[in-house]
């Protein structure tokens, strides 16, 4: 498991979650921005020494920053993510138009985007 990361949106710290989940949220927001749509994602977060859930609205206007967790009190918390990482990979695949976004694949391996400038809006 990767370490915990802090997710900040629009300059406010909003969540501390597993690093791999935070990385996928950032990628998903980037891809949603490229196609001009939004989505909501529910993620497990560490807050006040307990596990809670946060609903994130992400898309073209998202201003997301990831940093390493700087709160040592949260380090021991186990965040149950179930199939969340795989769900985020499926969502990324649907946005990128690729059939799959296999576990362990990198952005360069999977991300081929349609040239949106070629379309009349």
């Amino acid at each position: 498991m990767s370490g915990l990361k802090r997710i900040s949106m629009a300059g406010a710290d909003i969540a501390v979650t597993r690093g791999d989940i935070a990385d996928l949220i950032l990628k998903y927001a980037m891809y949603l921005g490229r196609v001009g749509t939004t989505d909501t994602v529910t993620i497990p977060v560490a807050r006040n020494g307990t596990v809670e859930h946060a609903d994130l609205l992400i898309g073209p206007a998202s201003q997301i920053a990831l940093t390493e967790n700087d709160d040592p009190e949260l380090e021991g918390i186990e965040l149950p993510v179930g199939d969340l990482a795989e769900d985020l990979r499926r969502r990324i695949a649907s946005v990128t138009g690729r059939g799959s976004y296999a576990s362990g694949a990198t952005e360069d391996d999977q991300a081929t985007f349609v040239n949106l400038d070629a379309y009349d809006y």
Side-chain angles (χ1 to χ4, degrees):
M1 176 177 105
S2 58
L4 298 176
K5 287 190 180 178
R6 184 170 301 277
I7 299 175
S8 300
M9 296 179 77
D13 283 349
I14 58 130
V16 173
T17 194
R18 275 187 21 186
D20 58 336
I21 298 301
D23 293 339
L24 286 167
I25 293 291
L26 184 65
K27 285 183 182 182
Y28 188 38
M30 177 186 67
Y31 297 143
L32 289 172
R34 289 184 178 182
V35 296
T37 192
T38 60
D39 195 5
T40 57
V41 178
T42 302
I43 63 170
V45 297
R47 183 171 176 195
N48 298 326
T50 63
V51 176
E52 297 181 9
H53 288 85
D55 296 320
L56 306 179
L57 173 63
I58 56 176
S62 297
Q63 297 176 6
I64 298 174
L66 302 182
T67 56
E68 296 302 318
N69 174 46
D70 60 0
D71 186 348
E73 291 183 21
L74 299 179
E75 281 302 325
I77 293 179
E78 289 293 323
L79 294 170
V81 297
D83 295 331
L84 180 57
E86 195 56 42
D87 177 54
L88 287 167
R89 288 184 186 98
R90 280 191 297 273
R91 292 180 193 212
I92 290 168
S94 71
V95 171
T96 63
R98 301 296 295 217
S100 67
Y101 189 90
S103 299
T106 66
E107 177 182 333
D108 293 333
D109 293 336
Q110 295 292 327
T112 301
F113 294 96
V114 174
N115 180 0
L116 298 177
D117 295 330
Y119 293 93
D120 291 325
Y121 292 100

